[in-house]
Structures are given as C-alpha cells and as structure tokens.
Amino acid sequence: MWAYGRTGGAGGSSGQRRYALLALPLGLIAVVAVVDILAPPEVHLGPLLVAAPAVTAAFGGPWLVASVGTLAAAVQLGIGVTRRGWLTLNHQTQAVALLLVTGVVTLFVLLRERQRREMSQVRSVSEAVQRVLLRPLPPRLGPLRVASAYLAADAEAQVGGDLFAAARPGATTRLLIGDVRGKGLDSVSDAALLLGAFREAAHCHADVSGLAAYLERSVSRGLAEAEGFAGDTGYAGGAGAHDGGEDFVTAAVVEIPDSGHEVRVVNCGHPPPLLLRGSHVVTLRSEAPEPPLGLGEFATSGYRADTFPLEDGDLLLLYTDGVIETRDAAGAFYPLAERLAGWAGDGPETLVRRLKADLLAHGGGSLGDDAALVALRRAAPGEDQAVA
C-alpha cells in the first residue's frame, strides 16, 4: 500500500509539472502566429513553429508531441490563409515539413519511452533478485550489533557478484562475505550457489573449518556443472560466461561464539577483515590464507581457522575489494583503514552509513566495482539492547 501511494503521488506531481511545461510550446505557437500575421509580407516566422514539438519532447510523451506538432502545422496553414487569403506553396511546404519533423520527433520519443519501460523492468527484477539473494542482515545477532550495505557499480543493476550472509547455529554467529569473479548474470548465479550452500551448511558443521571445506566442494561442483552444461549445449555465454576453470569466489568465513572473546576466520583469497579497537585499526591477516573457493586443488592447510581476540566494544568490518579499489580523480585508492581510525566510537549502523557516503564521495559518485560491507560489534556487558 505504501509503495502504491508513493508511486501515485509521484505520478500526480509529474503530471502537474508536465501540464505546466506545456505552456512553453503552446505559448511559442501563439506568439509566432500573432507576430507572423502582423509582420510585413517579406517576414516569415512560420519555420520557428518546428521548435514546439521539439520542446515538447523534453517532457512529454509521444501522443503529446504529436498533438503539439499537428497543432503547429494547423497554425502554419492558418497563418497562410490569414495573410494571403489563400494557401501559398510556401506555407503548404512548411506545414508538410513541420509534420515530417513532428513524426521523427514522435518516433524518437516512442523509442525513449520504450527504453524507459525496459529499464524500469530491469530495476524491478534487480530489486527482486537482491531481496531474494541478499537478505538484509538483522540488526542483532546474539550479542552482536550488525549493519550491512551493498553498493552496485552499475546503478541500474543493483545486484552483482558481491555477497554476504549470516546464520545462528546455536550460541554462535557465522558470517560469510564473498566476491564472485566476473560480472553479469553468471556472477549472480555463482553468488546464489554459494549463498544457498552457506545457509544450509552453516547449521550442519561443528566448526568453521569444516564449513569452509564444504563450501569449497559445493562451489567447485557447481562451477564444474555449469561449465559442463555450457560445453554440452555449445552456449558460449558471451562476456562474463564461465571460463573453463578460471571461475572462483574470494570469501571470508567468520565464526563468533556468544561466550568468550574471540573471532575465528577462514580466509579464502579475500581482503582481510579490519578490527577497530578504540582508534586503533588491526588487520586480521591469516597466517596461511587459502585460495579462493573453486580453486580447492591449491589448498594446503585444510581450511584452518585463524583465531583473533574480539573484546567487548570492538568493531569488526568485513568488506569486498570494491571498497579498497575505489579510486578518486587522481587515481588514489580509498584509504579504508585510515578512515576507520577517524570514526572510533561509532556503532555499526553509523559507521556503515558514514563509510558509504565517504566511499561514494571518494569515487566521484560512483564505484568501479560492486562493494559489500558488514560491520558488527560485540555489545559490552550492561549495554542497552536497543540498536543505535
């Protein structure tokens, strides 16, 4: 109901502005007609009427453009009859030319409106996919306060290959953040594969190492099946298709028990999490990071988890490389750790909000790659349970 009401209100406001703007071409037609009739015989302002349908195209639909153009052609004929008492060849030619121009402009507006409808459908589908694929993380996961965000490099797509998810198996929080190699529909498909595997397996494995190993097997199997399907059907897939063994997903699998003060991380080729303690930023680098998911044959340590301290009040940030690879106008990468140090004391929601705004400002309003963020903080004893 809210969406319908908002759309209706916006549509009504747009319609009012359209009618107000209609005064421009109609006023132009009236002024040209009056001046041309009163002007000396050697002065002809009729050709200026072609501006009326052109101006209308800036805000009106095809029917409005055609109506204004037809009116302008009729006024052109009326000017000829009024000035001469009959229609001269010059006035007839100008009227025909005006109708031809109106037809061309109307066709342009038709194509523009069709493209707008298609883009609207694309946005609707993207929003639906995002709601299904990237379920919003709850503001509270056990003792953890959580905030997340997704920023698509393509403003129309709204969803791509970056992903995050969380699960609560017993008195433990498990999180996944990842980045699928490539772009397009195949990256979305691979992201869905990994998210589905995580949401099921997060409740079935006793430790995070076993969970990461399962995700590797699931992703490798899914990518192999996708490549086999493409080979069997002869479908090349175009840009962004599965590239025969070159597909993979960088990911970090994180486990935070409710009791104790530690976080366990299995890093599979992903940018390391950052820990903000006071104004000090610590990079949680794994001693032996594993290769990205889908490249399990290169794994060496059996997906051993690295353990790091996570004290009450510490803030943990998970992110994808779209954040740190965003460049400013001078080509400098986004200084994530430096920015975090200046936001000491912020809660997860405030930090994510600031980080999104600052990242877009650094990139000049857009990103070169999709970016995902998950910030969480362990609540201190006695801290208000309400989310700030």
Side-chain angles (χ1 to χ4, degrees), residues 1-376:
M1 291 297 293
W2 178 82
Y4 176 82
R6 183 179 65 171
T7 301
S13 177
S14 176
Q16 292 175 358
R17 288 195 300 269
R18 183 174 301 180
Y19 286 123
L21 291 173
L22 186 58
L24 294 176
L26 294 181
L28 174 64
I29 293 173
V31 170
V32 169
V34 172
V35 175
D36 201 10
I37 291 173
L38 298 179
E42 64 274 12
V43 176
H44 298 281
L45 300 180
L48 294 177
L49 291 173
V50 75
V55 170
T56 308
F59 59 88
W63 290 111
L64 189 59
V65 171
S67 300
V68 170
T70 302
L71 174 62
V75 169
Q76 177 65 56
L77 295 176
I79 292 173
V81 173
T82 302
R83 295 190 64 170
R84 297 284 186 176
W86 68 87
L87 287 176
T88 64
L89 180 61
N90 181 42
H91 286 97
Q92 294 176 13
T93 302
Q94 290 181 19
V96 171
L98 183 52
L99 289 174
L100 289 176
V101 171
T102 299
V104 172
V105 175
T106 301
L107 178 60
F108 166 78
V109 174
L110 276 171
L111 295 176
R112 183 188 66 189
E113 293 297 314
R114 178 180 297 178
Q115 185 179 33
R116 283 181 177 176
R117 288 193 296 270
E118 291 175 351
M119 294 307 301
S120 178
Q121 291 173 354
V122 168
R123 285 193 294 268
S124 297
V125 172
S126 297
E127 291 171 358
V129 170
Q130 187 181 47
R131 285 193 296 269
V132 173
L133 194 62
L134 289 180
R135 302 171 188 169
L137 298 184
R140 197 88 184 200
L141 290 169
L144 304 175
R145 289 169 48 193
V146 183
S148 60
Y150 183 93
L151 294 88
D154 185 350
E156 302 297 343
Q158 299 194 18
V159 65
D162 288 21
L163 56 97
F164 52 76
R168 285 281 298 168
T172 301
T173 299
R174 286 176 174 171
L175 300 109
L176 169 71
I177 189 164
D179 184 2
V180 178
R181 174 191 175 274
K183 298 181 181 295
L185 293 178
D186 286 308
S187 67
V188 176
S189 175
D190 294 343
L193 168 69
L194 178 57
L195 287 169
F198 172 81
R199 286 166 179 156
E200 176 64 25
H203 298 274
C204 303
H205 290 267
D207 58 79
V208 70
S209 297
L211 172 58
Y214 173 85
L215 294 178
E216 158 57 31
R217 294 192 299 270
S218 179
V219 169
S220 294
R221 182 171 58 250
L223 293 178
E225 290 175 352
E227 292 163 9
F229 174 79
D232 292 341
T233 59
Y235 171 62
H242 290 94
D243 296 330
E246 297 182 2
D247 290 306
F248 55 82
V249 184
T250 67
V253 187
V254 178
E255 181 178 76
I256 306 174
D258 290 356
S259 59
H261 295 83
E262 64 182 23
V263 54
R264 294 188 282 271
V265 180
V266 178
N267 193 316
C268 301
H270 198 75
L274 296 179
L275 181 70
L276 179 61
R277 177 173 296 159
S279 59
H280 185 57
V281 178
V282 180
T283 302
L284 305 187
R285 300 188 184 278
S286 298
E287 294 182 3
E290 298 292 354
L293 301 176
L295 303 176
E297 64 269 23
F298 302 107
T300 58
S301 68
Y303 297 95
R304 180 178 61 85
D306 293 275
T307 301
F308 304 94
L310 182 66
E311 302 295 337
D312 295 337
D314 287 352
L315 191 145
L316 184 67
L317 179 67
L318 312 176
Y319 57 96
T320 58
D321 60 9
V323 176
I324 54 177
E325 292 180 358
T326 296
R327 297 175 182 262
D328 63 11
F333 289 113
Y334 183 72
L336 178 58
E338 177 183 330
R339 292 292 201 271
L340 284 183
W343 295 330
D346 286 346
E349 288 188 355
T350 301
L351 184 138
V352 167
R353 185 169 59 251
R354 284 189 174 185
L355 182 51
K356 284 173 56 180
D358 193 54
L359 184 62
L360 289 172
H362 183 84
S366 62
L367 306 181
D369 192 9
D370 297 340
L373 301 164
V374 177
L376 55 92

